[in-house]
Amino acid sequence: MEHYMVKGGTPLSGEVEIAGAKNAALPIIAASIMTNETVLIENVPDVSDIRTLLNAIRSIGAHVEKVDRHSYRINGSPINRAAPVDNEYVRKIRGSYYLIGSLLGKYKTASVALPGGCNIGLRPIDQHIKGFKALGADIRLRPPGLVDARAENLSGAHIYMDVVSVGATINIMMAAAMADGLTIIENAAKEPHVVDLASFLNSMGASIKGAGTDVIRIRGVKRLHGTEYSIIPDQIEAGTFMFAAAATRGDVVIRNVIPKHLESISAKLLEVGCQIEESDDAVRVVATRRLGNTNVKTLPYPGFPTDMQPQITILLGLSNGTSIVTESIFENRFKYVDELTKMGAHITVEGNTAIIEGVSGYTAANLSSPDLRAGAALVIAAMAAEGFSEIYDIHYIERGYEDFPEKLRKLGALIDKVDTEDDKRRFIFRAG
Ligand code: EPZ
């Protein structure tokens, strides 16, 4: 079975280029079919969740042309509006639910398989449904797990979100973009990818104001037109490399980032004793000694992201003193701690809180990725540990990190994707 093999103990050093943001690309691809004209999207990350969504829109008739590794020309005019979006892959990715908002917005009808995604908690979609209903849609759940959304007409509404939800904010924004009149979303999510989708829709002729604040105003338009758009850099991929630099006591320049999106991450790294240097589109992280402790609570943007929670826990597990990490977004996001315990970490999880007694080093181990971000975090732990570790279930990591082992290797990490015993022997021989 394909997995990663890592020989830890080498500080990362050099420069790494960050890809486009997966969580912006997913809704932008979904929204690209809301016009009959052609849309060119650039800086699309080459990761499996994106390929799955592109196949999903192809499966209902959209024309998708790959221009180069990171650019696609998409034309949604041939879409068969009656076709349900459903196959075993669509059900695996969370982003497929964005097709409810985009198809409902454009065609006033959508039938989409219920979303899957990483198993990090209950992940209900009640806020999405509440928003669609407020716009006038009738929503039914139909076996085998399809969401049917239908409306004679969508009309703008004043919607107050009970929880801050990235997915619901995005989905409602798409449906409202082509509704009659004004929609106001209150208590909206403010994540960079929410703003990126609004900018993309506006470049197609939508009228969306306030994205990035907690009140978004959407004045519906009759039609959207083609556009050319480049996706923002991936905040979470960048943050992951920042923590990889810190945990291996390295010196890494992370390029093609928007430093503003990384403020909560940089602040925590500074707090524990890293040096951070920012320029217009890069951030350098230097760690020369064992780092200190801190407490952190995950929060919606601009708070510390839940998608960085495993990475900071892994760093704090190696830091001096006791740290507390509180997960306030998803209730099931500490599953990786059992794996980390195998490496000698001292972490106790009580409900949504991890109490971490820092140890001076991790020991190598065989590990299994429980989800995307935890998988990447376990690779960081393996790079910080002395000796050979093996990380399984890497399909999770490949959902959201482009060329993860290749980028790490360029920074000096000893990591390879291996399959057979021969591959493993070769890696051990090379890594010494
Ligand atoms: C998005 O998930 C991201 N996924 C997640 O990234 C990320 O962890 C999350 O936002 C939080 O930032 C994508 O963008 C595809 P939410 P989403 O709706 O939209 C509750 C990754 O690793 N909630 O903001 O599903 C929910 O249970 C992934 O890239 C409701 O109660 O997250 C959670 O507690 C993992 N009802 C909170 O809101 C709803 O209808 C935030 O969830 C919707 C959400």
Side-chain angles (χ1 to χ4, degrees):
M1 192 200 309
E2 281 193 333
H3 62 282
Y4 293 152
M5 199 157 182
V6 175
K7 186 183 180 209
T10 312
L12 297 187
S13 95
E15 298 191 356
V16 61
E17 190 84 17
I18 296 306
K22 167 189 78 102
N23 289 344
L26 289 168
I28 285 175
I29 289 168
S32 70
I33 60 174
M34 294 180 74
T35 169
N36 287 339
E37 296 176 16
T38 298
V39 166
L40 174 71
I41 311 174
E42 294 172 336
N43 207 29
V44 179
D46 187 9
V47 296
S48 68
D49 272 15
I50 297 294
R51 290 191 289 272
T52 303
L53 186 64
L54 288 168
N55 283 336
I57 61 169
R58 275 191 188 105
S59 76
I60 51 170
H63 181 72
V64 178
E65 179 201 344
K66 187 170 182 171
V67 179
D68 59 43
R69 188 178 181 199
H70 297 118
S71 308
Y72 290 87
R73 241 180 232 112
I74 297 175
N75 187 299
S77 62
I79 278 182
N80 171 5
R81 67 187 71 184
V85 187
D86 187 14
N87 61 43
E88 59 172 309
Y89 302 108
V90 166
R91 285 174 185 265
K92 283 190 187 145
I93 64 161
R94 195 85 191 147
S96 55
Y97 65 13
Y98 291 140
L99 292 171
I100 311 176
S102 65
L103 291 170
L104 181 66
K106 176 155 193 233
Y107 297 110
K108 316 298 174 229
T109 174
S111 184
V112 179
L114 272 171
C118 282
N119 179 18
I120 51 180
L122 211 50
R123 307 188 79 177
I125 58 163
D126 57 300
Q127 297 303 306
H128 304 236
I129 292 175
K130 170 178 156 168
F132 295 144
K133 283 186 171 165
L135 296 174
D138 180 32
I139 309 289
R140 290 184 193 198
L141 301 181
R142 169 166 70 91
L146 285 174
V147 181
D148 274 345
R150 236 161 273 286
E152 283 295 312
N153 198 32
L154 293 175
S155 306
H158 199 136
I159 302 164
Y160 185 88
M161 312 291 295
D162 301 319
V163 294
V164 179
S165 161
V166 171
T169 303
I170 284 177
N171 240 338
I172 297 167
M173 208 155 75
M174 288 196 285
M178 295 183 81
D180 291 339
L182 180 69
T183 297
I184 300 175
I185 308 175
E186 300 233 32
N187 201 23
K190 297 181 275 200
E191 268 66 4
H193 32 296
V194 173
V195 180
D196 209 32
L197 173 70
S199 308
F200 173 72
L201 284 168
N202 284 342
S203 78
M204 293 170 83
S207 169
I208 301 175
K209 293 191 175 138
T213 74
D214 49 17
V215 183
I216 302 180
R217 289 165 196 276
I218 306 139
R219 173 80 55 193
V221 296
K222 287 274 172 260
R223 59 178 288 280
L224 296 171
H225 54 70
T227 186
E228 295 186 1
Y229 195 82
S230 182
I231 287 169
I232 51 164
D234 197 307
Q235 169 206 24
I236 304 301
E237 189 199 3
T240 302
F241 278 98
M242 291 168 78
F243 276 92
T248 60
R249 296 190 200 170
D251 179 349
V252 176
V253 178
I254 295 125
R255 295 209 173 276
N256 185 34
V257 300
I258 298 175
K260 171 105 190 98
H261 294 168
L262 302 171
E263 273 174 358
S264 64
I265 297 164
S266 299
K268 281 292 155 193
L269 285 171
L270 277 171
E271 219 175 288
V272 296
C274 289
Q275 282 165 250
I276 306 278
E277 285 170 26
E278 282 178 11
S279 56
D280 283 353
D281 65 350
V283 52
R284 178 178 175 202
V285 177
V286 185
T288 46
R289 57 188 165 83
R290 190 171 179 206
L291 297 168
N293 59 335
T294 187
N295 298 335
V296 61
K297 182 175 182 180
T298 63
L299 288 169
Y301 189 84
F304 190 86
T306 172
D307 288 348
M308 290 299 303
Q309 180 261 99
Q311 298 89 319
I312 195 168
T313 300
I314 266 141
L315 181 71
L316 296 175
L318 291 170
S319 298
N320 210 356
T322 304
S323 303
I324 296 178
V325 174
T326 307
E327 171 56 58
S328 75
I329 312 288
F330 292 112
E331 70 279 9
N332 197 13
R333 224 172 179 177
F334 281 122
K335 279 184 295 179
Y336 65 91
V337 166
D338 288 343
E339 299 301 290
L340 209 49
T341 307
K342 288 188 201 161
M343 305 182 84
H346 286 184
I347 303 178
T348 318
V349 176
E350 288 170 11
N352 68 343
T353 301
I355 300 145
I356 304 160
E357 302 290 341
V359 293
S360 57
Y362 292 144
T363 50
N366 285 356
L367 307 162
S368 159
S369 306
D371 61 67
L372 163 61
R373 306 302 172 189
L378 289 173
V379 172
I380 299 178
M383 290 188 304
E386 289 296 332
F388 289 92
S389 295
E390 294 179 47
I391 296 118
Y392 290 84
D393 293 320
I394 56 172
H395 59 95
Y396 283 115
I397 301 174
E398 292 174 347
R399 289 177 72 152
Y401 289 91
E402 179 180 305
D403 295 342
F404 198 44
E406 290 80 4
K407 287 184 180 181
L408 290 169
R409 267 204 302 275
K410 276 197 192 142
L411 296 172
L414 297 167
I415 178 169
D416 219 342
K417 194 193 236 185
V418 295
D419 192 1
T420 61
E421 285 303 314
D422 267 357
D423 292 343
K424 280 165 69 169
R425 269 193 293 275
R426 269 196 294 273
F427 177 76
I428 291 168
F429 180 73
R430 272 203 315 273

